[in-house]
Amino acid sequence: MLSKCDHCQHEFRVDGFLIEDMQDGIEKTYFECPHCKREYVAFYTDPEIRELQAKIRNTGWNDEEANTLLKMVEDNKRLMNELRKRMEMQGE
Ligand SMILES: [Zn+2]
């Protein structure tokens, strides 16, 4: 994906995300501008979220499990949003 840095206006291709370990098993997934090194956080995960994500990946797509899967995806989004809010309130 092509991205433009808000900070230095440099355009660059994001090939993959970097992962940094935070406290309490929280991982920050992010990429940075190769020009000015400004950090862009994609999302945060904690062990609970990663467990949920593993379950989502392991769930088959048959009708019986489709509703369960959708619910798990919603829970995952909600948890990730909550975690992001918490991490951003703390600052860096
Ligand atoms: Zn930049």
Side-chain angles (χ1 to χ4, degrees), residues 5 7-10 33 35-38 40:
C5 180
H7 189 61
C8 70
Q9 310 302 314
H10 181 71
C33 171
H35 186 71
C36 70
K37 303 293 177 197
R38 191 176 185 89
Y40 293 93

Side-chain angles (χ1 to χ4, degrees), residues 2-76:
L2 203 62
S3 193
K4 188 176 182 180
C5 180
D6 294 334
H7 189 61
C8 70
Q9 310 302 314
H10 181 71
E11 276 192 30
F12 58 99
R13 180 170 293 282
V14 180
D15 291 325
F17 292 112
L18 302 165
I19 293 174
E20 185 182 320
D21 287 324
M22 317 284 284
Q23 76 278 22
D24 303 327
I26 293 168
E27 287 179 3
K28 178 168 74 178
T29 303
Y30 67 103
F31 60 91
E32 60 183 22
C33 171
H35 186 71
C36 70
K37 303 293 177 197
R38 191 176 185 89
E39 209 173 77
Y40 293 93
V41 176
F43 51 83
Y44 295 97
T45 61
D46 65 9
E48 190 186 357
I49 291 170
R50 287 195 297 275
E51 198 190 312
L52 198 55
Q53 288 174 333
K55 271 187 206 153
I56 291 169
R57 278 195 296 271
N58 290 334
T59 302
W61 285 95
N62 62 53
D63 288 347
E64 197 180 314
E65 285 177 328
N67 283 335
T68 315
L69 182 68
L70 284 175
K71 192 186 169 304
M72 284 206 268
V73 171
E74 281 310 307
D75 282 351
N76 187 42

